Amino acid sequence: MTMENNELRKAGLKVTLPRVKILQMLDQADQRHMSAEDVYKSLMEAGEDVGLATVYRVLTQFEAAGLVERHNFDGGHAVFELADSGHHDHMVDVDSGEVIEFCDPEIERRQREIVKEHGFELVDHNLVLYIRKPKKKD
Amino acid sequence: MTMENNELRKAGLKVTLPRVKILQMLDQADQRHMSAEDVYKSLMEAGEDVGLATVYRVLTQFEAAGLVERHNFDGGHAVFELADSGHHDHMVDVDSGEVIEFCDPEIERRQREIVKEHGFELVDHNLVLYIRKPKKKD
DNA sequence: ATGAATGCAAAAACTTTGCATGACG
DNA sequence: CGTCATGCAAAGTTTTTGCATTCAT
């Protein structure tokens, strides 16, 4: 029994071919953050015949099951990433598009403090730092 | 000459009725964060006949001119806010949709530190805390 | 007057849904 | 085998675009 099957069972999801293939794709693809369209096209290129609607449905189920995280970066379309490693935030190089992951305990702690000071509890958060390599002249 | 006209001129935008009305609406509306649809409906209710396409176009121009900021909170549609006050981040109540603005110097400072440690400079950032009123039982 | 801005409608981009068929347990 | 998942196509949302007309300078 494969790794993916176990993940799906643990999540309470029936082990179907599309689900396994999508999970594998998220795990193996070069890019860690993929849109539904990205996943769909990658599957097609790999010769896997999965409908785009199924990709959307499965990704949504994966999100509900905690297997993936959905991010709403700038640009109108959602991207998904495997929730295998722990929590982290993102830096995006505005020139190259490169994405760097990081996690800073100080910021995380301060976020919870701020929310608490306002009488709320923190459900989730989204932090993206847009960065660039320093240039001598701009 | 009104305040709005000056803003538009400074931004290098021709002073047209739709632009003035949209800018006024963003300034006067009860909600500080409005979607294009919000702005459009408010204008209609106010008896101002502006096309939805124009609202989108004008808001995009305003963003390019630095008059407004566009935010991609969760939920598929962008919201815009007047860029009149200084920088701040946002808390969004996931139950009510209420938006609270805040600015925390400690987080701001730490962001710059982290970026610097990675050999980059900070161009911009986007922080949204998704929050909820605590409940005794969930 | 002349070039830019607008309104409308059509289209594009992204995502969800209905329903008949097919696959998992 | 019964039920849930899938595929396809159609519809829903949000946003953009083409084009004739109107408006600002």
Side-chain angles (χ1 to χ4, degrees):
Chain A
M1 167 176 308
T2 74
M3 203 45 204
E4 282 79 17
N5 291 13
N6 258 325
E7 295 292 331
L8 290 172
R9 277 189 225 289
K10 279 197 298 181
L13 293 170
K14 196 183 280 187
V15 178
T16 65
L17 204 56
R19 285 180 183 158
V20 173
K21 291 301 176 189
I22 292 171
L23 200 48
Q24 287 180 345
M25 188 55 68
L26 286 169
D27 196 30
Q28 300 166 4
D30 339 300
Q31 39 179 344
R32 180 164 171 79
H33 304 83
M34 305 181 79
S35 68
E37 194 77 32
D38 289 337
V39 173
Y40 173 70
K41 281 191 288 194
S42 300
L43 287 171
M44 297 309 267
E45 286 169 13
E48 303 293 345
D49 209 341
V50 176
L52 177 57
T54 299
V55 173
Y56 274 104
R57 270 187 296 233
V58 168
L59 287 174
T60 301
Q61 293 159 351
F62 283 2
E63 184 195 14
L67 289 177
V68 308
E69 282 182 14
R70 180 196 303 253
H71 299 290
N72 293 291
F73 295 159
D74 288 1
H77 63 287
V79 296
F80 299 82
E81 85 175 300
L82 223 49
D84 49 3
S85 61
H87 162 75
H88 55 259
D89 294 307
H90 299 91
M91 286 185 249
V92 180
D93 187 321
V94 294
D95 294 320
S96 70
E98 182 191 6
V99 178
I100 301 173
E101 300 182 347
F102 74 96
C103 185
D104 186 67
E106 189 175 335
I107 288 181
E108 303 282 325
R109 171 185 54 72
R110 189 69 191 116
Q111 286 179 3
R112 286 190 299 272
E113 281 178 9
I114 294 165
V115 169
K116 196 170 183 182
E117 287 167 9
H118 285 261
F120 289 89
E121 65 187 27
L122 189 57
V123 175
D124 193 9
H125 75 260
N126 175 33
L127 172 60
V128 182
L129 306 180
Y130 297 96
I131 61 178
R132 129 180 324 154
K133 287 257 164 60
K135 304 247 175 77
K136 299 307 173 196
K137 311 208 169 199
D138 205 13
Chain B
M1 170 175 303
T2 75
M3 202 47 204
E4 281 79 17
N5 291 13
N6 257 325
E7 295 291 330
L8 290 173
R9 277 189 224 287
K10 278 196 299 182
L13 293 171
K14 196 181 281 187
V15 177
T16 66
L17 205 55
R19 285 179 182 159
V20 173
K21 292 301 176 190
I22 291 171
L23 199 48
Q24 287 180 344
M25 188 56 68
L26 285 169
D27 196 29
Q28 299 164 5
D30 338 299
Q31 41 179 343
R32 181 166 168 77
H33 303 81
M34 305 180 78
S35 68
E37 193 77 31
D38 290 337
V39 173
Y40 173 71
K41 281 191 289 193
S42 301
L43 287 171
M44 296 310 265
E45 287 168 14
E48 303 293 345
D49 209 345
V50 176
L52 178 56
T54 299
V55 173
Y56 274 103
R57 272 188 293 232
V58 168
L59 286 174
T60 301
Q61 293 161 350
F62 283 2
E63 184 195 12
L67 289 177
V68 307
E69 284 183 12
R70 179 195 303 251
H71 299 292
N72 292 290
F73 297 157
D74 285 4
H77 63 285
V79 296
F80 299 82
E81 83 173 300
L82 222 50
D84 49 3
S85 62
H87 162 73
H88 55 260
D89 295 307
H90 297 90
M91 288 185 247
V92 180
D93 186 321
V94 293
D95 295 320
S96 70
E98 182 192 5
V99 179
I100 300 173
E101 301 182 345
F102 74 96
C103 186
D104 185 69
E106 188 176 335
I107 289 181
E108 303 281 325
R109 172 185 53 72
R110 189 67 190 120
Q111 286 178 3
R112 287 190 297 273
E113 282 178 10
I114 293 165
V115 169
K116 195 169 184 182
E117 287 167 9
H118 286 260
F120 289 88
E121 65 186 28
L122 189 57
V123 175
D124 192 10
H125 76 260
N126 175 32
L127 172 60
V128 183
L129 306 181
Y130 296 96
I131 61 179
R132 133 181 318 156
K133 287 258 164 59
K135 303 246 176 79
K136 300 306 173 195
K137 311 208 165 192
D138 206 14

